[in-house]
Each structure stands twice: as structure tokens, then as C-alpha cells.
């Protein structure tokens, strides 16, 4: 049986881009009679707030999305909040250290400032890490450790990776793609890449559908699955919505793409579901639909592979619906 998930970061209000990923991942599982999980990825505690997490639950239910397991309904594989699962990440890290796949990195904060706990593509990190600390001697590590605590980096195998994406087809990455990456920051915070792999494996996730901005993170996660001896789920990466020349993101959250703002403006959930379904090719025209009515219309084969540009007047029509 398929088991999928939606795993938002409660660091702000949901926007349309988030809701597209949530709806499509939900449809992918519901259309196959699978189990759907909601997980809060809140390990970046300074940025994540309980009020945002609560609002995410409300907004998802408003759209018609439900879940079989989650922070408010429980389940056999809980807890469903990452900040309550730190012991699992520590155990996985210990295994990686024991197997020789981790080394301490003493590079400056400026070099590591782009290493985020929330999901982002590799493009957000800047230049590939050159492996500066990978070959330090024991004496050099000891000397640097007296000056600052280290981050911990995962050693890539150097082998090329090919996997079959559910929408995009064969994807090939050269050995060492993206460079050795941080799995635990110097301040003690576990990185997104480690946490998401541990959680998806522990929760029995078989299918991951998410935005195309995370496509280049997949090879890192595959290497972690393999290093930990865990089964690799099937990945599907769907195109992002673009508006005003850039992808929709939290930078739009104070404007017309914020779900709370849309609800306040009186937009009906059926109108938003139909709007998303039309943009992603599931229906021929943007007509109001309940999320449950869209299950029979869903097929991965209908989804476009390229980024989707939202017509300038479409948001106006949505607000006028």
C-alpha cells in the first residue's frame, strides 16, 4: 500500500505554492487508496511557531485535505512533530559516524550561513563545499576544536546516481554532486536532509511528491538512505507556480498568495481547488470543485513537467469568484 506525506515547515503562513504541493501529494495518495501523513518539520525552533502550525492545520482542512496520521490525530509512527523526534536523528548520526561517513567541519559561520534546516534546493547554498575540512589531521582538528565547535558533514560516496522520477523520468547526477553536506550544524541543530530521511523511513513513507525545487536534494537523500541501510521511496517532483517572474514563496505571504489572506478575502475553497486543478492540467477549465471530487480526475500523466506561469489576470478572476 502506498504511504505518502505532506511535511510543511511552520515558519510562516501557507501560500498557494505550499497548497499546490499539499493538494497534489494528497491526491496522489487518495487516488490509489493509500495512507496520508501530515508531519510538522519544526526543527528550526527559532523560526517555527506553534501558531503557524495550528494555522496550517486549519488551512489544510479548509481546502478539504485530511490525513490518516498526524500531530493532531496520532498514529503508530508518531510523534509527527520533528522537534519531538531528536533522539531518532541522534541515533542515525551515531551510525553514520561509526561507519566513517561523517567528519567535523570547522569552517566559519559565513561559509555555512546558507545551510538551512528547512527544505531548499542546492542552489540556495552557494558554491559547492570544496572539502576543506575533510582531510584535516587529528592534530589540526584538535586545534580547531579549541577555537569553535564543529558542524558535521556527510561524505558523499562519489558514485553517480540514476533514479526514475514519477513525473520527470530518468534523472542522473554525477558522483559527488553538490559536495559533502552538513547534517548537524555547529549550534547542535540537525539539518533538513538527515531529519527528512530518518522520518520518512521511520514512518514507512513509500511515495514522496513535492516541488521541483527539491529535485537536486534527492541525490543527497538517496545517499543517506543507502548509508543507513534504509529503503528509498519513490520520488515525484511537480513544477512550481511562477508569478511576477519568480516562483511563489513565503516572500508573497503578505500579499494575495497567503492562504489566510485569501480566506479573509472570501475566496471559497472549491474555487481554489478548481484553480489549482486547472493550472496543473487535471481539468480543462477552472471550475469550482471540492478536493474529494478531484480524486477521480487525478493522474500523474496529466501533470506538466515544466514550471507553470500564472496568467496576470487569473488571480483577479480567482478573487472575483
Amino acid at each position: 500500500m502506498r504511504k505518502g506525506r505532506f511535511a510543511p515547515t511552520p515558519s510562516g503562513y501557507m501560500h498557494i505554492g505550499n497548497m499546490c504541493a499539499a493538494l497534489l501529494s494528497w491526491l496522489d495518495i487518495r487516488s490509489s487508496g493509500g495512507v496520508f501523513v501530515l508531519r510538522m518539520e519544526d526543527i528550526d525552533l527559532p523560526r517555527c511557531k506553534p501558531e503557524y502550525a495550528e494555522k496550517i492545520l486549519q488551512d489544510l482542512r479548509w481546502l478539504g485535505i485530511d490525513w490518516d496520521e498526524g500531530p493532531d490525530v496520532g498514529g503508530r509512527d508518531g510523534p509527527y512533530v520533528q522537534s519531538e523526534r531528536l533522539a531518532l536523528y541522534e541515533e542515525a548520526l551515531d551510525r553514520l559516524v561509526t561507519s566513517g561517513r561523517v567528519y567535523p567541519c570547522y569552517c566559519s559561520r559565513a561559509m555555512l550561513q546558507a545551510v538551512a534546516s528547512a527544505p531548499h534546493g542546492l542552489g540556495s547554498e552557494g558554491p559547492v563545499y570544496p572539502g576543506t575540512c575533510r582531510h584535516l589531521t587529528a592534530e589540526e582538528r584538535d586545534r580547531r576544536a579549541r577555537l569553535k565547535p564543529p558542524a558535521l558533514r556527510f561524505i558523499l560516496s562519489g558514485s553517480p546516481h540514476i533514479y526514475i522520477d514519477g513525473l520527470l523520468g530518468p534523472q542522473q547526477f554525477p558522483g559527488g554532486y553538490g559536495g559533502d553536506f552538513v547534517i548537524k550544524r555547529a549550534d547542535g541543530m540537525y539539518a533538513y536532509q538527515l531529519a527528512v530521511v530518518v522520518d520518512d523511513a521511520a514512518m514507512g513513507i513509500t511515495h514522496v511528491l513535492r516541488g521541483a525545487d527539491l529535485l537536486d536534494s534527492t541525490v543527497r537523500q538517496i545517499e543517506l538512505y543507502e548509508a543507513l541501510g534504509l529503503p528509498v521511496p519513490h520520488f515525484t517532483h511537480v513544477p512550481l507556480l511562477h508569478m511576477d517572474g519568480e516562483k511563489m514563496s513565503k516572500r508573497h505571504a503578505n500579499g494575495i498568495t497567503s492562504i489566510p489572506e485569501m480566506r479573509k478575502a472570501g475566496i471559497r475553497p472549491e474555487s481554489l481547488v478548481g484553480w489549482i486543478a486547472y493550472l496543473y492540467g487535471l481539468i480543462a477549465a477552472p471550475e469550482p470543485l471540492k478536493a474529494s471530487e478531484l480524486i477521480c480526475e487525478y493522474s500523474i500523466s496529466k501533470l506538466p513537467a515544466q514550471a507553470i506561469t500564472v496568467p496576470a489576470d487569473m488571480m483577479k478572476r480567482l478573487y472575483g469568484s
Side-chain angles (χ1 to χ4, degrees):
M1 177 179 290
R2 284 193 180 210
K3 190 174 187 181
R5 49 77 167 172
F6 178 59
T9 299
S11 59
Y13 295 122
M14 289 191 70
H15 54 79
I16 291 178
N18 301 139
M19 200 60 92
C20 290
L23 179 61
L24 292 173
S25 59
W26 180 82
L27 288 171
D28 189 58
I29 296 302
R30 288 290 181 248
S31 64
S32 64
V35 176
F36 192 65
V37 177
L38 179 68
R39 182 175 71 234
M40 288 292 168
E41 299 194 334
D42 68 337
I43 51 176
D44 191 345
L45 292 177
R47 294 176 59 244
C48 296
K49 307 296 181 185
E51 54 266 33
Y52 289 137
E54 181 58 35
K55 194 62 177 174
I56 288 172
L57 299 181
Q58 295 172 10
D59 288 342
L60 289 171
R61 286 202 168 97
W62 170 80
L63 196 72
I65 294 175
D66 63 350
W67 44 94
D68 305 296
E69 303 174 22
D72 59 336
V73 299
R76 66 178 187 179
D77 298 319
Y80 297 90
V81 178
Q82 281 191 333
S83 59
E84 300 174 13
R85 301 175 62 83
L86 301 183
L88 293 175
Y89 313 146
E90 186 64 30
E91 188 273 335
L93 179 61
D94 288 344
R95 289 168 59 189
L96 293 173
V97 170
T98 300
S99 64
R101 295 296 296 274
V102 174
Y103 63 88
C105 175
Y106 302 93
C107 294
S108 69
R109 181 180 178 84
M111 291 183 65
L112 302 177
Q113 62 183 352
V115 177
S117 60
H120 293 287
L122 271 60
S124 67
E125 296 184 9
V128 172
Y129 181 69
T132 306
C133 295
R134 184 170 179 173
H135 303 294
L136 294 178
T137 65
E139 290 75 17
E140 289 174 318
R141 288 177 178 175
D142 184 64
R143 176 175 58 81
R144 296 192 185 198
R146 291 195 292 269
L147 300 176
K148 71 179 297 291
L152 297 178
R153 285 188 182 270
F154 177 74
I155 300 173
L156 291 173
S157 67
S159 301
H161 283 273
I162 299 176
Y163 85 93
I164 307 300
D165 188 272
L167 176 62
L168 304 177
Q171 300 295 305
Q172 183 169 353
F173 297 90
Y177 178 78
D180 298 342
F181 58 95
V182 172
I183 55 176
K184 189 175 185 181
R185 297 188 343 189
D187 61 6
M189 185 184 300
Y190 293 96
Y192 161 75
Q193 304 288 3
L194 178 65
V196 72
V197 165
V198 171
D199 286 343
D200 280 350
M203 293 181 181
I205 301 300
T206 63
H207 290 74
V208 174
L209 187 150
R210 58 190 183 183
D213 55 334
L214 288 172
L215 176 63
D216 57 6
S217 290
T218 306
V219 65
R220 290 182 166 185
Q221 292 165 23
I222 289 174
E223 287 239 4
L224 282 170
Y225 280 112
E226 292 176 346
L228 291 167
L230 301 172
V232 180
H234 298 278
F235 289 100
T236 298
H237 292 86
V238 297
L240 305 180
L241 297 184
H242 284 246
M243 184 178 181
D244 301 326
E246 62 180 6
K247 70 177 182 180
M248 289 185 174
S249 68
K250 286 186 171 66
R251 285 176 293 185
H252 293 97
N254 293 323
I256 58 175
T257 67
S258 161
I259 301 304
E261 287 297 320
M262 297 180 78
R263 294 181 63 177
K264 188 182 299 183
I267 291 178
R268 297 166 53 212
E270 295 85 358
S271 296
L272 182 55
V273 168
W275 187 87
I276 294 172
Y278 168 70
L279 286 173
Y280 279 90
L282 299 180
I283 56 177
E287 59 179 300
L289 284 173
K290 292 182 179 179
S292 58
E293 295 174 322
L294 196 56
I295 294 174
C296 63
E297 301 290 343
Y298 176 80
S299 171
I300 285 181
S301 64
K302 292 183 177 181
L303 300 178
Q306 304 301 317
I308 299 169
T309 299
V310 180
D313 63 340
M314 194 163 184
M315 291 298 296
K316 295 179 181 178
R317 296 204 304 270
L318 179 61
Y319 270 78
S321 62

